[in-house]
Amino acid sequence: MKTQHLKISLLVACVPLFLWSCKKDLQDSKEQQPQLNVNQARVREQLDSTITFWNGHAVVDIKLTGYRFIDGTITPEQLRSTKEQLLDGNNLIPYFDGIDKSSFSLRTINERSQELSIARQAGDENAQDLRVRLGAALDTLVQLGQGLAELTWTSEGKQFTTTAVYNAQGLVYDNVLANMFLVKDDSETSEDDARTAYTATVKNFKIKWVWGGTRGKVVIKHTILVENGKIVAHSGSTDAWMSVGSAAAKWARYKRTNSYSQISWGYGWATPTASFSISASRPPVEFSVSLSGVGSKGRGSGIHLYYLN
């Protein structure tokens, strides 16, 4: 039986932690319930793990070198100024396509917004202004009673700082840290069920935060049923999700003979400032995946061939 190998990739997304459509103004903040006595333990663990793990395995030139907690918690008077600070056009946000090291860039919100403006002019309807999308997210994410920390980063020999928002569960948002994650690819495995059913894992990767938590995954499987030494049926299955952004996968039967089976497959994933679309041709179905927006995104498609030995 033949399957395919991928590799472990690290992805850095130029995106906010979550995309939300609801919008709130300062008056709304008065109705929010403060989160009292914010515990620093979880976010401290995340930051320390980032320094020890990420800095030792980073494949692109950006590292967290230190942090300090800012006294107090977000008050009603500070709520608007905290959001404005995070939205400042001079703030730096990274991008990396996860494959080519040369694709890594560290640009400001203003520069990213200009990229989206150019994309809109070129006809990309999904290329909404980064400040608009990020602002909508911060309206929901940043709340009264949360804590603040200043993070220090280095890249290409230069140092800069970011403002991190956290609660008792850990990081809520930071322009760099919230947008870095690892993808671990475990494709090419198979399962044997009493020599009558075989399953190959066509794609299997997990999207993980740099401190180890799972952010999402994409799994595509190809199964054949065997009777009297012949393939009598074939099928597929998918499982795709991403907690920060979106992910989807599709499969379709392509061709089957007594000795081999083929299914077509396609997947896409994107952070909230990017998008993807999966389309299918007429039978025999082949999938194509298109990408848009400036945020991190990924795709794949093909035909999986499964031989019966």
Side-chain angles (χ1 to χ4, degrees):
M1 303 167 194
K2 300 182 179 179
T3 50
Q4 304 170 355
H5 275 294
L6 288 180
K7 59 184 179 181
I8 297 176
S9 299
L10 178 146
L11 306 175
V12 180
C14 63
V15 298
L17 184 61
F18 291 104
L19 174 63
W20 298 84
S21 60
C22 62
K23 298 182 179 179
K24 299 182 180 180
D25 56 26
L26 185 60
Q27 291 181 347
D28 293 330
S29 69
K30 297 178 181 179
E31 300 176 0
Q32 295 176 341
Q33 296 299 315
Q35 301 178 11
L36 302 177
N37 301 319
V38 176
N39 192 318
Q40 298 175 351
R42 177 54 179 159
V43 72
R44 187 184 294 275
E45 177 185 328
Q46 292 170 336
L47 296 174
D48 288 341
S49 295
T50 300
I51 291 174
T52 56
F53 178 74
W54 165 258
N55 289 1
H57 296 80
V59 299
V60 293
D61 185 12
I62 185 171
K63 294 182 178 181
L64 176 64
T65 58
Y67 62 88
R68 70 176 183 88
F69 290 102
I70 299 173
D71 292 338
T73 57
I74 297 175
T75 65
E77 295 75 21
Q78 294 174 318
L79 189 61
R80 182 179 292 276
S81 63
T82 299
K83 295 176 184 178
E84 290 176 348
Q85 183 177 0
L86 292 167
L87 285 168
D88 188 294
N90 293 318
N91 287 339
L92 291 166
I93 292 182
Y95 176 75
F96 178 50
D97 70 3
I99 299 173
D100 183 3
K101 293 182 181 180
S102 66
S103 70
F104 173 75
S105 65
L106 193 60
R107 298 176 186 166
T108 66
I109 288 177
N110 285 340
E111 291 171 329
R112 297 293 187 193
S113 294
Q114 181 61 29
E115 293 176 21
L116 285 164
S117 177
I118 294 173
R120 285 196 303 274
Q121 294 173 9
D124 185 352
E125 298 179 354
N126 295 316
Q128 185 181 10
D129 184 87
L130 177 57
R131 285 177 57 87
V132 173
R133 291 199 175 193
L134 180 52
L138 295 179
D139 283 342
T140 298
L141 293 171
V142 181
Q143 300 177 11
L144 299 177
Q146 293 175 330
L148 298 172
E150 182 183 82
L151 278 54
T152 302
W153 303 87
T154 59
S155 180
E156 298 181 349
K158 298 180 181 180
Q159 180 175 291
F160 66 97
T161 61
T162 59
T163 299
V165 181
Y166 68 92
N167 58 24
Q169 287 70 50
L171 180 73
V172 173
Y173 182 77
D174 173 79
N175 280 329
V176 176
L177 188 58
N179 302 314
M180 300 194 308
F181 49 94
L182 295 166
V183 171
K184 186 176 186 300
D185 195 324
D186 293 322
S187 299
E188 189 168 1
T189 61
S190 62
E191 302 170 4
D192 183 349
D193 182 13
R195 298 183 180 276
T196 60
Y198 301 90
T199 299
T201 303
V202 182
K203 298 294 174 185
N204 179 21
F205 60 81
K206 292 181 180 178
I207 303 171
K208 301 180 71 66
W209 296 106
V210 293
W211 51 80
T214 298
R215 183 173 178 176
K217 67 179 180 179
V218 173
V219 179
I220 303 173
K221 293 188 176 184
H222 180 184
T223 298
I224 60 172
L225 297 179
V226 179
E227 291 182 3
N228 300 321
K230 298 179 181 179
I231 298 174
V232 296
H234 63 163
S235 63
S237 63
T238 64
D239 183 14
W241 59 273
M242 187 173 175
S243 63
V244 182
S246 59
K250 296 183 178 182
W251 72 273
R253 293 178 179 85
Y254 190 78
K255 186 176 182 179
R256 175 177 64 85
T257 69
N258 290 337
S259 59
Y260 71 87
S261 162
Q262 288 177 298
I263 64 167
S264 55
W265 56 269
Y267 72 86
W269 64 267
T271 54
T273 54
S275 61
F276 65 88
S277 177
I278 303 176
S279 58
S281 66
R282 294 183 177 181
V285 172
E286 292 187 40
F287 294 104
S288 60
V289 185
S290 60
L291 303 173
S292 62
V294 300
S296 283
K297 47 197 176 286
R299 63 182 174 184
S301 61
I303 307 295
H304 186 259
L305 175 62
Y306 202 160
Y307 279 113
L308 177 63
N309 289 335

